[in-house]
Amino acid sequence: MTAKAGDNPDTLMTLATVFCLRNLRKTMCYQGFGNELCLRSDIFLPSEICDKLVNTYMELLHTHSNFEPEESFFQLFSDPRSTRLTRVQLREDLVHDRDLEAIRKQDLIELHLTYCNSLSSRSLRTLTWFQETLVSLCLFGCNHIFYRKGGAPLACNEDSEEDDEEGHVSKRALETNFNFQGFNRLRLLNLGGLPDEVNAETLLKPLKSLTSLDLSNVQLLGTAFLSQWKDRLASLVLYNVDLSEELICTVVELVNLRHLDISRESRRTSKFKMTKRILTAIVQRLVNLVSLDISGQIMLDNCTVQQFEEVLLVTFQVTGSKNEDQVLNAIEAYTEFRPELAHRAINQLFDIARIQHCSQLLRALQLVIAALKCHKYDKSIQVTGSAALFYLTNTEYRSDQSVRLRRAVIQVVLNGMEQYQEVTVQRNCCLTLCNFSIPEELEFQYSRVNQLLLQILEPARQDESIQRIAVHLCNALVCQVDNHHKEAVGKMGFVKTMLNLIQKKLQDRMCDQVMEFSWSALWNITDETPDNCQMFLNSRGMNLFLECLQEFPDKQELHRNMLGLLGNVAEVKALRPQLLTPQFIVVFSNLLDSKADGIEVSYNACGVLSHVMFDGPEVWSMEEPKRDSVMEKMWEAIQSWDVSSRRNINYRSFEPILRLLPQSISPVSQHWATWALYNLVSVYPSKYCPLLIKEGGMSLLENVLELESSHSETKDMINVSEMCNFLKVLHLI
């Protein structure tokens, strides 16, 4: 059997880690004083487990809406006698000064802080606790870490988190007393986005042993200081750094460089021009280069170097837009720290998937998923990423994708829907969900996806295309699912939302797909779900039914959906009295004559009346229409139907029909039920014969033959011996 893309399951380590994080108080922790989370005293966790716990915790916070942060989580790792942390990756505003301080006694080897804008200079002082062990440090995009809160001295106010919010940035003062003195083991450093006020040379001068340095978007006042690493530096990133002849002269002295990035955003203005002489110097002097990025630089017309082209073909990994390999390389290289370039590359992948064919499906999906997770708050990434996912998950690619991979797609799509109440993202996400088998593939996120769709449909004026797709998805999600799912969605406000959509369409005098899907969704969600039927009645559902009949008398699909819904309401004994009014009974009686959608409207109207009649003449309190005259019309309607009619209906259970068989109060109700069963088992034997047997229908039909009150037409329809022979042929009994 051929393996599908993304088939590898999660490791036991990953599954156990996620379980523990979701159940901290039931596994490794207990509730301490002041509701504080405490590690159990009999637990010792090695670095492999601690690192996994912290990094997975951050990922869950970032990508799972139902995962709540624990205020004292990092305090669990405060004691190196019971926990060991070595490699930690933290990102965005979820991280605070107190969190770093909680783990300050750990011997960290790697600490990656990305876009952690809640950190202040308090965290700079915390970094000094790691100076003897730290080998790799990233402070990319941590713009506030070099500022003191409220202009206070570094040692003051350190127990207050009140100024962590963005609104207090204007009060902060630059911290000038920090440099990397004492960080003797540090080899890899990323200071991307360092504020202009910070002097990079002063900050970096104490570091003698760097092998990798990232100064993306950093303003360099001087360049000579880079030469202190000319014999050691293997990787240098100067993305969006203003280049000059002086800087290039310094760079080409770094003869051990294997990776050099002097690229820039194409839309950024620059006086620097890439000439043949400069490119020649880079290629000839930096003989160890295996990776060079000069994208976005202004290239003069004669800027070609044969030696460079030859090396490019043999050695370098190339990012660009010429082919799928280059595009995927670009997404991989730029996702974490350069969302603007990742966005451009994902857009190119979108064109490949849409127009051509994506040959590296697994890699493409994994890279787009990673980009969407990493940049949950970047609208451009969310727009292009969700659009690419739509094409990468469609029918052409579907058979090659594993369950696990497709679930990962669903997760990031739902993340995008939660974060962006915006037309393009919402449309792309909804369209992507349509590529999945519904409800089966979405059931693991059932409540979440329903809640998001209902939020989309809540505004009175929604984009028409999004509204249509969202209602279609809602309808599909409540079709063929268990009743507890339907009840849960009903409590979310599903019924009210659908009725609001119907009300809006009535006001606009428009019967379109949204109107029809809304009634169909109500039909599905009320199936054998009394609470939802009650919600329908409580929310003026019957009034909207009458208004729709009056406003759209010729809309057959609409009538079928509405009558199907009312059939569900009629099956609930406690609710039937609300249908027993002259106005409603006359409407149902008139619909018995309908030829709309074959026999479906007439059939459903007769089903509603059959349940009403089943309650007996004593509940028929109205003078007009008379009960006997309505029953007569029901007989005439049933006799006019072709028993071999193919049906536009789907039964999950015969129970509501079977309960009409053993009774004598309303023979016409019994006859309708018998006709329904006969039609379904004869036209669709393989589907409905097993259901009839499973639910005890055969014995109930036999009993009908013995009842004196059963009409001869009903008994003629039940030829038990023939039906039994038929079922034996099918090996069903």
Side-chain angles (χ1 to χ4, degrees):
M1 183 176 176
T2 306
K4 294 184 177 182
D7 232 354
N8 296 334
D10 285 327
T11 64
L12 181 58
M13 174 74 160
T14 298
L15 294 172
T17 301
V18 172
F19 179 83
C20 286
L21 288 170
R22 290 188 177 277
N23 300 274
L24 284 171
R25 289 163 181 79
K26 297 179 180 178
T27 53
M28 49 189 281
C29 300
Y30 66 92
Q31 201 78 40
F33 179 75
N35 209 33
E36 183 176 315
L37 201 63
C38 300
L39 194 67
R40 283 171 43 190
S41 59
D42 58 344
I43 285 181
F44 172 81
L45 301 175
S47 60
E48 294 83 0
I49 293 178
C50 289
D51 292 349
K52 184 78 171 177
L53 282 167
V54 170
N55 296 329
T56 304
Y57 172 80
M58 292 304 300
E59 182 180 353
L60 290 174
L61 279 181
H62 192 63
T63 59
H64 289 239
S65 62
N66 62 345
F67 187 81
E68 295 295 328
E70 289 280 358
E71 186 173 344
S72 54
F73 175 77
F74 287 91
Q75 198 64 38
L76 298 176
F77 306 91
S78 60
D79 188 349
R81 293 173 298 181
S82 56
T83 57
R84 296 281 175 85
L85 281 174
T86 55
R87 294 174 171 84
V88 176
Q89 298 181 6
L90 311 177
R91 62 181 299 117
E92 300 186 356
D93 297 347
L94 299 168
V95 185
H96 298 86
D97 291 323
R98 63 173 178 267
D99 299 326
L100 275 188
E101 289 172 353
I103 61 173
R104 66 185 182 276
K105 294 181 182 180
Q106 296 286 353
D107 293 334
L108 292 187
I109 296 173
E110 295 179 8
L111 176 60
H112 287 198
L113 304 172
T114 309
Y115 298 114
C116 297
N117 285 319
S118 292
L119 300 182
S120 73
S121 59
R122 280 174 58 189
S123 290
L124 281 182
R125 194 177 74 166
T126 303
L127 289 182
T128 62
W129 283 77
F130 312 126
Q131 63 183 9
E132 294 182 4
T133 59
L134 213 53
V135 174
S136 177
L137 174 65
C138 172
L139 299 178
F140 185 88
C142 300
N143 296 330
H144 302 156
I145 200 171
F146 291 94
Y147 295 91
R148 299 192 298 270
K149 295 177 182 176
L154 182 61
C156 297
N157 198 33
E158 49 184 335
D159 293 324
S160 172
E161 293 286 344
E162 294 177 1
D163 295 330
D164 273 356
E165 299 182 11
E166 293 278 342
H168 294 82
V169 173
S170 60
K171 297 180 182 179
R172 302 187 182 198
L174 184 68
E175 174 51 53
T176 57
N177 295 326
F178 176 84
N179 61 33
F180 285 105
Q181 189 69 45
F183 287 75
N184 298 325
R185 295 192 63 191
L186 199 59
R187 300 292 184 270
L188 294 82
L189 178 62
N190 187 331
L191 292 178
L194 187 72
D196 292 346
E197 298 93 329
V198 180
N199 188 310
E201 181 176 355
T202 303
L203 193 65
L204 296 170
K205 196 169 185 179
L207 298 174
K208 304 300 182 184
S209 304
L210 284 185
T211 60
S212 175
L213 178 62
D214 190 326
L215 295 173
S216 297
N217 293 292
V218 174
Q219 180 178 325
L220 298 179
L221 301 179
T223 62
F225 75 94
L226 293 172
S227 61
Q228 68 178 311
W229 303 298
K230 65 180 181 181
D231 297 325
R232 299 189 62 90
L233 209 60
S235 174
L236 178 62
V237 177
L238 299 174
Y239 172 66
N240 276 345
V241 173
D242 292 333
L243 297 185
S244 63
E245 292 275 352
E246 177 191 1
L247 179 54
I248 294 296
C249 289
T250 303
V251 167
V252 296
E253 292 179 15
L254 309 175
V255 293
N256 285 312
L257 279 181
R258 295 176 61 80
H259 171 68
L260 174 62
D261 185 340
I262 51 174
S263 62
R264 59 187 282 275
E265 272 190 87
S266 57
R267 61 174 176 264
R268 282 173 66 103
T269 58
S270 174
K271 297 178 181 178
F272 181 81
K273 306 290 191 298
M274 184 65 72
T275 65
K276 182 176 183 178
R277 178 178 60 82
I278 293 173
L279 194 55
T280 301
I282 292 173
V283 173
Q284 291 181 347
R285 297 282 299 279
L286 302 178
V287 294
N288 293 309
L289 276 185
V290 295
S291 175
L292 174 66
D293 194 337
I294 56 174
S295 58
Q297 293 291 351
I298 300 173
M299 313 286 285
L300 296 184
D301 292 341
N302 66 345
C303 188
T304 57
V305 180
Q306 183 177 357
Q307 182 183 352
F308 173 70
E309 298 292 338
E310 292 171 355
V311 172
L312 190 72
L313 291 173
V314 176
T315 310
F316 289 1
Q317 184 184 59
V318 182
T319 66
S321 58
K322 288 185 179 180
N323 55 49
E324 185 178 326
D325 270 329
Q326 289 189 8
V327 169
L328 294 178
N329 288 342
I331 299 173
E332 186 170 14
Y334 299 137
T335 285
E336 186 169 11
F337 299 127
R338 303 184 200 173
E340 67 280 0
L341 297 183
H343 161 250
R344 192 183 310 160
I346 294 172
N347 211 29
Q348 291 157 350
L349 175 63
F350 163 77
D351 286 333
I352 291 172
R354 178 174 61 94
I355 301 171
Q356 305 168 30
H357 178 79
C358 181
S359 59
Q360 301 178 57
L361 177 64
L362 175 58
R363 187 183 178 204
L365 273 174
Q366 288 175 333
L367 288 173
V368 174
I369 289 170
L372 287 167
K373 283 184 175 181
C374 187
H375 298 287
K376 183 178 178 181
Y377 306 105
D378 187 311
K379 179 183 170 183
S380 61
I381 292 283
Q382 293 297 319
V383 169
T384 55
S386 56
L389 286 181
F390 170 71
Y391 285 100
L392 290 170
T393 56
N394 66 15
T395 306
E396 179 183 359
Y397 302 106
R398 180 174 179 174
S399 60
D400 298 323
Q401 297 167 6
S402 69
V403 171
R404 181 166 177 257
L405 186 65
R406 289 176 70 79
R407 284 191 170 192
V409 172
I410 292 169
Q411 290 276 21
V412 293
V413 164
L414 298 183
N415 288 344
M417 291 172 69
E418 282 172 341
Q419 187 61 37
Y420 289 97
Q421 304 298 315
E422 187 272 339
V423 172
T424 309
V425 174
Q426 297 284 4
R427 183 188 296 115
N428 289 350
C429 290
C430 286
L431 284 171
T432 301
L433 290 178
C434 290
N435 287 337
F436 292 81
S437 297
I438 303 172
E440 295 83 6
E441 287 190 282
L442 299 183
E443 196 159 2
F444 79 107
Q445 291 282 286
Y446 193 77
S447 294
R448 185 183 178 199
V449 68
N450 273 291
Q451 190 71 63
L452 286 169
L453 290 171
L454 294 180
Q455 288 173 6
I456 289 175
L457 293 169
E458 188 175 338
R461 291 285 177 182
Q462 176 61 278
D463 177 85
E464 190 69 28
S465 62
I466 296 178
Q467 194 177 67
R468 183 171 60 253
I469 301 165
V471 174
H472 162 72
L473 286 168
C474 282
N475 188 24
L477 280 163
V478 294
C479 183
Q480 300 298 307
V481 293
D482 293 336
N483 289 353
H484 75 274
H485 280 320
K486 295 181 181 181
E487 290 169 357
V489 174
K491 291 175 182 176
M492 291 179 189
F494 188 100
V495 174
K496 186 68 174 177
T497 298
M498 294 301 125
L499 290 173
N500 286 343
L501 291 173
I502 292 167
Q503 178 70 62
K504 176 63 184 61
K505 292 299 177 182
L506 268 171
Q507 291 172 358
D508 295 343
R509 306 186 71 179
M510 182 183 297
C511 183
D512 57 5
Q513 285 186 321
V514 172
M515 170 73 90
E516 291 179 359
F517 285 160
S518 297
W519 279 108
S520 179
L522 288 171
W523 182 4
N524 284 317
I525 201 172
T526 54
D527 182 31
E528 297 184 49
T529 316
D531 286 350
N532 292 341
C533 293
Q534 180 73 67
M535 290 181 198
F536 170 80
L537 295 177
N538 292 347
S539 303
R540 292 188 65 253
M542 292 304 296
N543 289 344
L544 290 177
F545 160 68
L546 295 175
E547 290 173 28
C548 284
L549 275 180
Q550 184 176 356
E551 185 66 39
F552 310 112
D554 301 320
K555 295 294 183 178
Q556 297 186 9
E557 183 77 10
L558 178 68
H559 293 181
R560 182 180 75 91
N561 293 342
M562 293 194 298
L563 266 295
L565 157 65
L566 293 183
N568 292 336
V569 176
E571 289 172 5
V572 183
K573 181 177 178 62
L575 302 181
R576 285 200 286 268
Q578 297 185 53
L579 304 181
L580 200 58
T581 69
Q583 184 183 29
F584 294 148
I585 296 298
V586 167
V587 168
F588 298 142
S589 297
N590 291 338
L591 288 171
L592 290 170
D593 300 326
S594 173
K595 304 302 179 186
D597 199 18
I599 68 169
E600 296 303 327
V601 172
S602 177
Y603 170 88
N604 285 325
C606 198
V608 173
L609 291 169
S610 292
H611 285 92
V612 171
M613 295 297 176
F614 182 73
D615 290 336
E618 61 272 13
V619 301
W620 196 277
S621 57
M622 68 194 83
E623 292 187 5
E624 291 292 338
K626 296 189 181 303
R627 184 172 184 269
D628 289 345
S629 62
V630 173
M631 286 197 294
E632 187 175 339
K633 287 195 69 174
M634 292 168 65
W635 279 106
E636 292 173 359
I638 297 171
Q639 290 167 343
S640 71
W641 303 337
D642 181 357
V643 80
S644 63
S645 297
R646 301 195 68 81
R647 308 297 306 286
N648 191 5
I649 199 168
N650 182 46
Y651 281 100
R652 292 189 301 126
S653 170
F654 282 151
E655 196 280 329
I657 297 176
L658 294 175
R659 73 169 71 122
L660 298 177
L661 292 177
Q663 51 89 28
S664 58
I665 294 175
S666 175
V668 70
S669 302
Q670 185 185 67
H671 190 65
W672 174 85
T674 304
W675 189 98
L677 294 171
Y678 186 89
N679 165 256
L680 292 168
V681 298
S682 60
V683 177
Y684 305 100
S686 60
K687 180 176 182 179
Y688 288 119
C689 284
L691 184 62
L692 181 68
I693 295 170
K694 177 184 175 183
E695 297 188 337
M698 292 299 296
S699 60
L700 290 174
L701 287 169
E702 289 177 346
N703 291 339
V704 170
L705 294 174
E706 299 173 3
L707 289 172
E708 293 184 5
S709 59
S710 301
H711 280 217
S712 57
E713 294 95 326
T714 307
K715 293 181 178 181
D716 289 344
M717 199 175 294
I718 307 173
N719 190 323
V720 177
S721 59
E722 283 188 16
M723 186 172 290
C724 286
N725 291 333
F726 181 58
L727 296 175
K728 286 177 182 177
V729 170
L730 292 174
H731 305 289
L732 296 174
I733 60 173

